[in-house]
Amino acid sequence: NLAVIAHVDHGKTTLSDALLLKAGLLNKNNSGDQNCGRKMDSLKDEIDRGITIKSASVTLNYLVKKALFDEKDRPIHPIKVAGDVGSQEDSDEHLPLQVNLIDSPGHIDFNAEVTAALRVTDGALVVVDAIEGKAVQTEEVLIQALKEGVTPVLMINKVDRLIIEKQLSPDEVFDRMQCVIDDVNDFIATHQMKNLPDQRVSLLQGSVCFGSGYFGWACSIDGILDRLHKVAKERAQLRKSLAKRDHFIKNVIIPIVRMHRACSVLPVLKKEKSELDRVSRVNELLSRIPWSSNLQLSRKDNDSSHTEPRKFLKKVMMEWLPAA
């Protein structure tokens, strides 16, 4: 059981769309869309106002790698998996995982809904806006989670705004995310229960991810290591290396910023082969990123339905770094 908690308008419900998409419960073209997305908001008032009022739950079925399961946690009964979450060919390397997702309100007037959600969950996905940072209601829902003994995981959302709107450099993007992590950790350290293990989050531990619910992408150190297919010893060494500021900026942030340029959302620099069409630019960039899993776009990905740069960026990022 997983509760999604955050301050109002920090992107909980839009991020939930990405999880629904991965489970095969939402059309790829509708994820994050203000009119067709936000499927966890079903009440008329929620749809009209664009905010979550009542906690809503949904059961999601995924296929995940066997290595991520402890032996005691492996399911005994088969779980039906729908959508594009896997095929029969994956059964030898993957196991089904059932997640009961609860999307809770972010407005202070509906705090009782958050409390009720946290009392039936095993973990909390704390969503924080990369620009606004930890807000008043972020603190309120965090206090409730810590009081209930629920382990938090941090999702730094709307990182695309740092890149597209603020046009920050890769160094500044990392520093802003680190500032959010430090603020959240300072608050957790002050309010966590003393009889429980340390519940602070970090990139190194894999309890922090970042991305954009609207554009349907997310990234974490664990996600990158999975793509590199490293053995356990190499993973431990690479994890420590990637978590360092300079290495993280060079190997993670810079490729993501360059992908935004390749998709024409940002001005394309001459040294980045501006004479190429955008599909060629994206494929050329993907070929130089070790953790891109040999992904390449086809020519049909440049069709008329994705002529607008933001729509094209969304398609590329959902293929490259899917949020679920």
Side-chain angles (χ1 to χ4, degrees):
N1 296 339
L2 178 68
V4 186
I5 58 177
H7 183 76
V8 64
D9 286 338
H10 276 207
K12 299 179 309 300
T13 304
T14 304
L15 183 64
S16 297
D17 279 354
L19 303 178
L20 291 171
L21 172 65
K22 182 63 176 179
L25 301 180
L26 185 63
N27 186 295
K28 182 178 291 189
N29 295 324
N30 292 341
S31 175
D33 187 272
Q34 189 68 27
N35 299 314
C36 304
R38 299 179 57 89
K39 293 300 182 184
M40 298 296 283
D41 287 346
S42 57
L43 300 177
K44 185 178 186 302
D45 283 345
E46 291 179 324
I47 296 171
D48 291 344
R49 300 183 185 190
I51 62 171
T52 302
I53 297 174
K54 288 281 189 180
S55 290
S57 63
V58 64
T59 298
L60 308 174
N61 295 316
Y62 303 108
L63 285 177
V64 298
K65 292 182 179 180
K66 286 184 178 180
L68 299 179
F69 280 96
D70 291 331
E71 192 68 36
K72 61 182 177 63
D73 293 331
R74 296 189 177 183
I76 299 173
H77 303 292
I79 299 173
K80 184 178 179 182
V81 180
D84 62 348
V85 295
S87 64
Q88 193 64 34
E89 299 173 1
D90 295 323
S91 59
D92 291 337
E93 298 181 3
H94 295 75
L95 285 173
L97 172 67
Q98 190 172 84
V99 177
N100 297 311
L101 181 73
I102 303 177
D103 179 30
S104 60
H107 199 283
I108 193 169
D109 290 344
F110 313 117
N111 251 5
E113 292 287 325
V114 179
T115 303
L118 288 170
R119 287 180 177 173
V120 296
T121 57
D122 306 299
L125 181 61
V126 184
V127 182
V128 177
D129 188 311
I131 291 181
E132 294 184 12
K134 175 176 64 66
V136 174
Q137 189 62 7
T138 309
E139 297 179 352
E140 289 295 325
V141 295
L142 257 178
I143 286 177
Q144 292 180 65
L146 295 171
K147 282 183 178 179
E148 297 295 335
V150 177
T151 303
V153 174
L154 177 63
M155 166 64 181
I156 304 175
N157 196 26
K158 302 187 183 183
V159 174
D160 58 286
R161 294 184 63 196
L162 298 178
I163 300 171
I164 300 173
E165 295 179 20
K166 299 295 184 180
Q167 295 196 14
L168 300 185
S169 67
D171 292 56
E172 292 171 326
V173 170
F174 179 87
D175 291 340
R176 178 56 195 154
M177 293 196 306
Q178 189 61 54
C179 181
V180 172
I181 295 171
D182 291 342
D183 285 348
V184 170
N185 277 337
D186 288 345
F187 189 82
I188 291 175
T190 303
H191 295 88
Q192 66 181 350
M193 298 176 69
K194 305 304 179 183
N195 60 329
L196 293 177
D198 189 1
Q199 293 183 307
R200 288 177 294 180
V201 298
S202 75
L203 285 167
L204 178 62
Q205 296 171 356
S207 52
V208 173
C209 59
F210 66 96
S212 168
Y214 177 79
F215 286 103
W217 67 272
C219 184
S220 68
I221 287 182
D222 285 283
I224 294 173
L225 294 177
D226 287 342
R227 290 164 175 264
L228 292 172
H229 306 292
K230 297 294 184 180
V231 298
K233 186 176 181 180
E234 292 176 326
R235 281 178 68 99
Q237 294 173 344
L238 192 55
R239 177 187 293 276
K240 291 180 180 179
S241 177
L242 270 177
K244 295 177 180 177
R245 182 182 186 277
D246 291 344
H247 290 182
F248 195 86
I249 292 171
K250 178 181 178 181
N251 296 293
V252 181
I253 304 294
I254 288 179
I256 290 173
V257 173
R258 285 179 175 170
M259 187 60 73
H260 283 67
R261 290 194 184 280
C263 293
S264 302
V265 175
L266 294 174
V268 180
L269 304 178
K270 289 184 178 180
K271 64 179 182 180
E272 294 180 336
K273 302 187 176 181
S274 58
E275 72 277 2
L276 298 177
D277 66 85
R278 60 187 183 181
V279 172
S280 299
R281 288 200 302 269
V282 168
N283 286 338
E284 195 271 337
L285 178 58
L286 288 171
S287 67
R288 293 190 281 114
I289 301 174
W291 46 275
S292 63
S293 300
N294 299 318
L295 174 67
Q296 290 286 283
L297 299 184
S298 62
R299 304 309 305 178
K300 66 180 182 180
D301 291 321
N302 202 24
D303 61 26
S304 58
S305 63
H306 301 107
T307 51
E308 207 274 317
R310 286 175 177 258
K311 290 184 178 180
F312 183 67
L313 173 66
K314 181 175 181 179
K315 178 176 180 59
V316 172
M317 298 304 286
M318 289 175 69
E319 292 284 342
W320 181 36
L321 298 173

